[in-house]
Amino acid sequence: MHVLLLKEPREGGSGPDPYIKELASRGHKATLIPVLSFTFVSLNTLSDKLFQPEQHGGLIFTSPRAVEAVKMCLEDDERTEQWNMDIKDKWNAKSIYVVGKATAALVENLGLVPLGEDTGTADVLSRLILEREGANILPLLFPCGSIKREVLPTALRENGVPLDTLMVYQTAPHPDLEKNLKNHFTEQGVPDSIAFFSPSGVRFCLETVRRLSGEQLMQIKFAAIGPTTAEAMTAEGLSVSCSADKPTAEHLAAGIAKALQ
């Protein structure tokens, strides 16, 4: 069976995408089409905050892109040296909160020790933070994107945990998205299953997918990487055949394979 993955290629990864690999091991051919493009902003401000860890109570990362922004602040040799010498250790003395394994792996590459990689959503992560932090801490630094859900900031605010939110990237549709989708449907036909990986992915792709699928739309098994994406799909009137129990290649592939039986 033929599965279309509407997602970005793996961050800095060489070799096949883990989702393509997992689906292949279950006998399904998968194709990946990148959905989003990102522009980084406010990196000078982020850099200033990163190099003054004493002003914050910890860090929160809910996306690989936010970690990438931090990495960009360390591209200068002098900054890297300073980071490795003592700044990194000062942050590690505090809590570094993350959502998901992909983000955790990138955080570890920076020499930081992540907490909460098994929390699959911002909602679950906010509960972990509230268990560990009180209102009397310094603000937690939260670099994020222009399209962020308010679940985590709201939960922390309502419980008096201070948060320093800084938008470090803006999200837009990938410039070749429509063209790539059109070519894919023309060459491969309508996929047996389509997987969405973010609410913005649903928003940017769905109209084109509907138009290209025509009457066959009802036969497609739609999959979601997690509950937030599934909600966005349902809100658009899509029937969600499976939502991954955890946001990993293994869990999603298992769900898709079951839906396609």
Side-chain angles (χ1 to χ4, degrees):
M1 298 271 196
H2 166 210
V3 181
L4 177 58
L5 304 170
L6 296 172
K7 74 182 284 286
E8 283 32 76
R10 183 170 59 157
E11 289 300 314
S14 53
D17 184 271
Y19 289 86
I20 292 178
K21 210 166 145 188
E22 280 292 336
L23 283 159
S25 75
R26 290 169 166 82
H28 300 295
K29 180 183 183 291
T31 309
L32 187 151
I33 291 182
V35 172
L36 309 172
S37 68
F38 302 95
T39 312
F40 290 95
V41 294
S42 313
L43 292 183
N44 288 342
T45 310
L46 176 61
S47 190
D48 291 345
K49 289 175 187 280
L50 283 172
F51 282 83
Q52 297 175 57
E54 63 283 352
Q55 309 223 340
H56 290 90
L59 272 163
I60 301 174
F61 294 108
T62 57
S63 73
R65 215 73 43 193
V67 189
E68 201 181 314
V70 170
K71 196 176 159 196
M72 289 171 83
C73 294
L74 305 176
E75 280 177 352
D76 172 297
D77 287 349
E78 205 174 302
R79 287 256 146 168
T80 306
E81 196 179 328
Q82 206 183 341
W83 175 262
N84 288 329
M85 201 161 67
D86 67 341
I87 300 293
K88 171 179 81 176
D89 295 336
K90 286 179 181 172
W91 279 114
N92 276 331
K94 305 166 190 281
S95 297
I96 316 287
Y97 294 105
V98 301
V99 169
K101 287 189 168 16
T103 304
L106 293 170
V107 165
E108 284 172 348
N109 289 346
L110 295 174
L112 298 173
V113 182
L115 265 172
E117 65 177 80
D118 290 328
T119 61
T121 65
D123 190 15
V124 181
L125 181 66
S126 64
R127 293 203 286 272
L128 174 71
I129 295 172
L130 294 174
E131 279 168 22
R132 295 175 50 97
E133 309 289 354
N136 56 351
I137 63 156
L138 287 165
L140 296 168
L141 178 58
F142 179 31
C144 58
S146 54
I147 305 177
K148 71 169 188 329
R149 291 175 74 231
E150 290 303 321
V151 172
L152 188 136
T154 304
L156 299 190
R157 190 168 57 241
E158 285 173 355
N159 288 276
V161 174
L163 191 65
D164 179 7
T165 305
L166 179 67
M167 186 177 79
V168 295
Y169 64 92
Q170 289 170 329
T171 309
H174 190 283
D176 297 327
L177 177 60
E178 188 145 355
K179 184 184 82 183
N180 290 342
L181 280 170
K182 213 167 165 181
N183 290 346
H184 183 78
F185 274 73
T186 306
E187 290 159 19
Q188 309 273 341
V190 176
D192 299 293
S193 174
I194 297 179
F196 286 101
F197 287 75
S198 67
S200 29
V202 176
R203 193 162 71 246
F204 296 152
C205 296
L206 193 52
E207 197 186 320
T208 308
V209 166
R210 277 203 168 110
R211 193 176 68 246
L212 294 168
S213 307
E215 288 173 8
Q216 286 173 272
L217 186 79
M218 304 302 282
Q219 276 122 51
I220 300 170
K221 303 289 184 195
F222 285 100
I225 189 62
T228 315
T229 303
E231 275 169 34
M233 291 160 73
T234 309
E236 290 289 349
L238 278 187
S239 167
V240 180
S241 299
C242 76
S243 178
D245 294 333
K246 283 188 177 176
T248 68
E250 204 179 336
H251 286 90
L252 185 71
I256 292 173
K258 197 175 170 188
L260 287 172
Q261 274 172 1

